[in-house]
Amino acid sequence: GAGVSQSPSNKVTEKGKDVELRCDPISGHTALYWYRQSLGQGLEFLIYFQGNSAPDKSGLPSDRFSAERTGGSVSTLTIQRTQQEDSAVYLCASSLAVAGSSYEQYFGPGTRLTVT
Amino acid sequence: KNQVEQSPQSLIILEGKNCTLQCNYTVSPFSNLRWYKQDTGRGPVSLTIMTFSENTKSNGRYTATLDADTKQSSLHITASQLSDSASYICVVRGDTGFQKLVFGTGTRLLVSP
């Protein structure tokens, strides 16, 4: 079946502009995660959605970052007033958050964001 | 602070040779540890998962070990191939009730012909 897809694959934007990144999780996966991977750094957790529960936003670095998940499927990550330090690869993952499962996260290919 | 440290940061080996990558963690409590392979321009893909009671697990030419007492894990790659060139990321899940994971910064492996 289809894996996690993300769009766009690459995004170049000017400092101060807003950007939207999209994630299509694997069908049937109830959990969805956003991560940021900066050059030379490990993946940094941003936000986690699980079913209809309130999302865990504890990883969002500032109020310029927000995310939503509509209909329990597609998610968009929005960065307002982008800064150069926002340049990174943004990875989305989904998993079957079912009791007894291995909770493996399946990752998308990422969106490479460059803020000039 | 929950941390995962990997070594070496990068490694170059000749095709056909073996190598071992290291992962030390301070995540507590501990639930499981995964090794991921991340090819350039792609998302990470899980290679192995190990729980507290498991000492070793193999997936083809990849063998992972876990010492929960010393909080160390290793990933051994046997008879390396050019396609093994990638970043290998150690990821530890703590028993927090959420699905958040602690990621290492990875080891970048280059297998040269």
Side-chain angles (χ1 to χ4, degrees):
Chain A
V4 177
S5 61
Q6 293 185 243
S7 61
S9 56
N10 281 284
K11 176 71 177 180
V12 180
T13 190
E14 291 181 352
K15 178 182 174 181
K17 300 287 187 183
D18 298 350
V19 295
E20 278 191 358
L21 313 180
R22 176 187 169 108
C23 172
D24 283 85
I26 292 174
S27 178
H29 280 192
T30 57
L32 185 147
Y33 318 76
W34 283 99
Y35 295 91
R36 179 168 68 177
Q37 187 175 34
S38 301
L39 189 63
Q41 303 293 318
L43 271 74
E44 174 189 5
F45 165 78
L46 297 177
I47 188 169
Y48 159 62
F49 296 89
Q50 170 52 48
N52 295 321
S53 303
D56 176 2
K57 305 179 181 180
S58 60
L60 294 178
S62 77
D63 59 7
R64 295 186 297 103
F65 288 73
S66 63
E68 63 178 20
R69 189 179 185 191
T70 54
S73 181
V74 173
S75 176
T76 56
L77 176 69
T78 301
I79 309 174
Q80 296 178 309
R81 305 180 303 281
T82 52
Q83 303 294 314
Q84 287 186 331
E85 59 263 27
D86 299 335
S87 297
V89 175
Y90 290 82
L91 288 163
C92 174
S94 69
S95 70
L96 272 172
V98 176
S101 77
S102 64
Y103 298 107
E104 178 175 351
Q105 298 187 10
Y106 294 83
F107 286 83
T111 293
R112 180 175 296 279
L113 175 65
T114 303
V115 182
T116 62
Chain B
K1 181 180 178 181
N2 289 331
Q3 287 187 315
V4 175
E5 296 183 350
Q6 293 186 242
S7 62
Q9 188 174 34
S10 62
L11 181 63
I12 302 174
I13 62 172
L14 291 174
E15 184 179 11
K17 297 296 186 181
N18 304 336
C19 66
T20 301
L21 315 180
Q22 300 291 340
C23 173
N24 297 340
Y25 62 92
T26 61
V27 179
S28 181
F30 171 86
S31 180
N32 62 51
L33 183 149
R34 286 185 188 271
W35 282 93
Y36 281 85
K37 178 186 179 187
Q38 185 175 20
D39 293 311
T40 300
R42 296 182 175 273
V45 175
S46 179
L47 293 174
T48 65
I49 178 174
M50 302 184 73
T51 59
F52 185 88
S53 60
E54 295 175 301
N55 299 118
T56 185
K57 182 170 284 189
S58 292
N59 177 3
R61 294 180 296 102
Y62 301 102
T63 299
T65 66
L66 174 65
D67 186 334
D69 291 330
T70 60
K71 296 186 177 181
Q72 296 180 325
S73 176
S74 67
L75 180 69
H76 186 76
I77 304 174
T78 303
S80 60
Q81 300 176 358
L82 297 179
S83 59
D84 293 331
S85 296
S87 288
Y88 292 84
I89 304 171
C90 175
V91 184
V92 180
R93 177 177 175 238
D95 188 18
T96 64
F98 284 102
Q99 303 291 303
K100 290 186 290 185
L101 307 172
V102 183
F103 289 78
T105 55
T107 292
R108 184 173 294 276
L109 174 66
L110 175 63
V111 180
S112 64

